[in-house]
Amino acid sequence: MDGTGWRPVKRTRTFEDVLAQIERRIAEDGLTVGDRLPAERHLAEQLGVSRSSVREAMRVLETLGVVSSQAGRGPDAGAVLTSRPDSALSDLLRLHLGLTGLEMREVIDTRHMIEQWAAARAATRAATRAATGGAATTELAAAVAGMDAAGSPEEFVEHDTAFHCAIADASGNRLVAAIMRSLRDSMRKYSVEAVRRLGDTSVLRADHVRILEAIDGGDPEEAARAVSEHLAHAYPTLFR
Amino acid sequence: MDGTGWRPVKRTRTFEDVLAQIERRIAEDGLTVGDRLPAERHLAEQLGVSRSSVREAMRVLETLGVVSSQAGRGPDAGAVLTSRPDSALSDLLRLHLGLTGLEMREVIDTRHMIEQWAAARAATRAATRAATGGAATTELAAAVAGMDAAGSPEEFVEHDTAFHCAIADASGNRLVAAIMRSLRDSMRKYSVEAVRRLGDTSVLRADHVRILEAIDGGDPEEAARAVSEHLAHAYPTLFR
DNA sequence: ACCACAATATGGTCAGACCATACTCGAAGC
DNA sequence: GCTTCGAGTATGGTCTGACCATATTGTGGT
């Protein structure tokens, strides 16, 4: 009999408890990237749980990209705190796409949104630091060159991905950049197929140059427009 | 001695192998949400590995929100495939924020981007199905009422979060909605503090109504503008 | 001073046991 | 026949203790 609103009685598995305590320690002790966590055996003993439970907690943290484990001895061994959300996000997207809990259309729309924003932001940043002289578009130019030299759709997409991720990096927002990388990662096969269907990539090249120049010229609106039209060219079936 | 380009020799842990095989089976057998995975003991035997390794793989899948485990017997027991990326994303953001691998500024900027897009998209959708009569803004109105009745900043933020997540839902993009939910989740404390600092929430209320009406009226540009100005009101220190 | 090798600390894996949970099914009682 | 209760059983959750692989550290001999 339930339904009386009596008790959810949240039973928490012990590895979740371990997880919570590790997170608390990170916050309270101000641990940060590069710091080491205690060894699994020590943690198990100090927390009064089995090593298996500690290991499951470690597996979760590793999956989320906050620790990186290394066997052996010395300063580099053990569980070290890191901050690499990229692969975690990629795994997440890939698996959920595989379960059709998400559709490619949604991924592409999200990418459209992010990339317009990132390009505009990158252009703004380029404009405000024009005096410093440092062109942040060397990576973009290199990616364009890579696409020119590509001998296959796979290779083309490789450099195309680098180009668009560089735009996200240039926005200066690491969260947006991480999301962008994982989006591109999970779109790879789809992009290769799109390029193959397209055949001629000269239109895409012109788009890329236009985007690059808009960013370099510090024109956010033009950058966003250029990105939008570029995506319409790359995925003509999706944007009517 | 290395540098000869000899050997990366990728050593793959056995639980990673288990993961790969599970993912392959999901793809090949066309498994989808609701389907069950074999029991841990069976998987271990069939794959010729220990149950611990299978469990670590399961923990990863659970962390990423693609399986949900339930003890006991019957159709609901065991590892069932699901697709709940929300808590995975929230955990990811929370932990990386805690490690200062990300800064709140980046989170808020990302939210700004997402919410402008989602509001505009929601308005467009509302316009195109205006004939069907179904106003998709009942949840939005309910959230506004909840904020009116709120007795504390915490309670206010609770309903405010519901309001803004409902906008993301109304965009029809589940990926964007999931990202939005996790962003709000990791911003909660920060938002409560912002509301407390603000004191008077009447400006926010007017903003909310304006956003709601823009979406209902099917005006994407106005919806995006309204969202943008709303965020400037809510976080005056961040937007100059 | 150098080198070879043992000691040690760490994560990775395994085997086997036990517990808690929750369904299944059959026997007992009505 | 129907209900009810309890044994059976399949499942995840946890623990123990062992062994292996790896990589640093210490030590002793040359």
Side-chain angles (χ1 to χ4, degrees), chain A:
Chain A
M1 303 285 186
D2 54 16
T4 63
W6 254 112
R7 33 151 117 175
V9 178
K10 180 69 173 187
R11 93 139 186 298
T12 131
R13 296 119 106 192
T14 76
F15 85 86
E16 290 173 326
D17 220 69
V18 174
L19 220 38
Q21 294 215 36
I22 291 177
E23 194 175 346
R24 190 171 57 83
R25 280 289 277 272
I26 289 176
E28 289 182 358
D29 298 3
L31 300 184
T32 180
V33 172
D35 292 339
R36 275 182 56 180
L37 254 36
E40 292 176 357
R41 290 172 175 82
H42 293 166
L43 257 182
E45 192 180 5
Q46 290 174 13
L47 296 177
V49 300
S50 76
R51 204 182 140 202
S52 331
S53 297
V54 173
R55 278 186 65 78
E56 296 201 10
M58 289 298 190
R59 201 56 62 224
V60 171
L61 292 176
E62 192 183 306
T63 301
L64 293 174
V66 293
V67 310
S68 164
S69 293
Q70 187 67 42
R73 193 173 159 165
D76 285 9
V80 177
L81 290 176
T82 62
S83 190
R84 335 191 117 267
D86 296 29
S87 74
L89 276 170
S90 294
D91 293 343
L92 195 119
L93 278 180
R94 179 169 37 81
L95 286 165
H96 286 277
L97 275 169
L99 288 173
T100 65
L102 282 177
E103 287 165 19
M104 190 50 77
R105 173 63 198 242
E106 295 170 284
V107 175
I108 308 249
D109 276 351
T110 306
R111 180 200 154 185
H112 193 167
M113 165 186 74
I114 287 183
E115 192 150 343
Q116 272 192 291
W117 181 89
R121 177 61 66 101
T124 303
R125 280 164 55 95
T128 60
R129 65 153 173 238
T132 69
T137 51
T138 55
E139 283 190 45
L140 294 179
V144 170
M147 283 183 265
D148 288 342
S152 67
E154 285 80 4
E155 208 173 329
F156 183 89
V157 166
E158 187 81 13
H159 292 98
D160 181 71
T161 300
F163 180 86
H164 292 284
C165 287
I167 292 175
D169 287 334
S171 78
N173 187 314
R174 287 166 295 175
L175 176 54
V176 165
I179 297 176
M180 184 71 189
R181 269 192 291 276
S182 56
L183 287 177
R184 287 303 304 232
D185 217 45
S186 49
M187 283 174 53
R188 192 188 325 255
K189 281 183 192 171
Y190 189 89
S191 297
V192 169
E193 187 52 39
V195 167
R196 183 166 283 131
R197 240 188 337 251
L198 210 56
D200 179 23
T201 58
S202 60
V203 176
L204 303 184
R205 184 186 204 284
D207 286 344
H208 287 145
V209 172
R210 184 181 162 200
I211 294 171
L212 195 159
E213 288 176 350
I215 293 178
D216 240 355
D219 188 341
E221 284 82 13
E222 163 66 5
R225 256 196 316 275
V227 163
S228 188
E229 292 179 19
H230 171 54
L231 290 184
H233 293 154
Y235 305 101
T237 59
L238 282 186
F239 299 96
R240 62 188 172 288

Side-chain angles (χ1 to χ4, degrees), chain A residues 64 92, chain B residues 62-65 84-94 178 182 185:
Chain A
L64 293 174
L92 195 119
Chain B
E62 191 183 307
T63 301
L64 293 173
R84 336 193 117 266
D86 296 28
S87 73
L89 276 170
S90 296
D91 293 342
L92 194 118
L93 279 180
R94 179 169 36 79
S182 55
D185 218 46

Side-chain angles (χ1 to χ4, degrees), chain B residues 66-125:
Chain B
V66 293
V67 310
S68 165
S69 293
Q70 186 68 42
R73 193 171 159 168
D76 285 9
V80 178
L81 290 175
T82 63
S83 190
R84 336 193 117 266
D86 296 28
S87 73
L89 276 170
S90 296
D91 293 342
L92 194 118
L93 279 180
R94 179 169 36 79
L95 285 165
H96 286 277
L97 275 168
L99 288 173
T100 65
L102 282 177
E103 285 165 21
M104 190 51 75
R105 173 66 199 239
E106 295 170 283
V107 175
I108 308 245
D109 276 351
T110 306
R111 179 200 156 186
H112 192 165
M113 165 186 73
I114 288 183
E115 193 150 343
Q116 271 192 294
W117 181 90
R121 177 60 67 99
T124 303
R125 281 163 54 95

Side-chain angles (χ1 to χ4, degrees), chain B residues 22-78:
Chain B
I22 292 177
E23 193 174 348
R24 189 171 57 83
R25 280 289 278 273
I26 289 176
E28 289 182 358
D29 298 4
L31 300 185
T32 180
V33 172
D35 292 338
R36 275 182 54 180
L37 254 37
E40 292 176 357
R41 290 173 175 83
H42 294 166
L43 258 181
E45 193 180 5
Q46 290 173 14
L47 297 176
V49 299
S50 75
R51 204 183 142 202
S52 327
S53 297
V54 173
R55 279 186 64 78
E56 297 200 10
M58 290 296 190
R59 200 58 61 224
V60 171
L61 293 176
E62 191 183 307
T63 301
L64 293 173
V66 293
V67 310
S68 165
S69 293
Q70 186 68 42
R73 193 171 159 168
D76 285 9

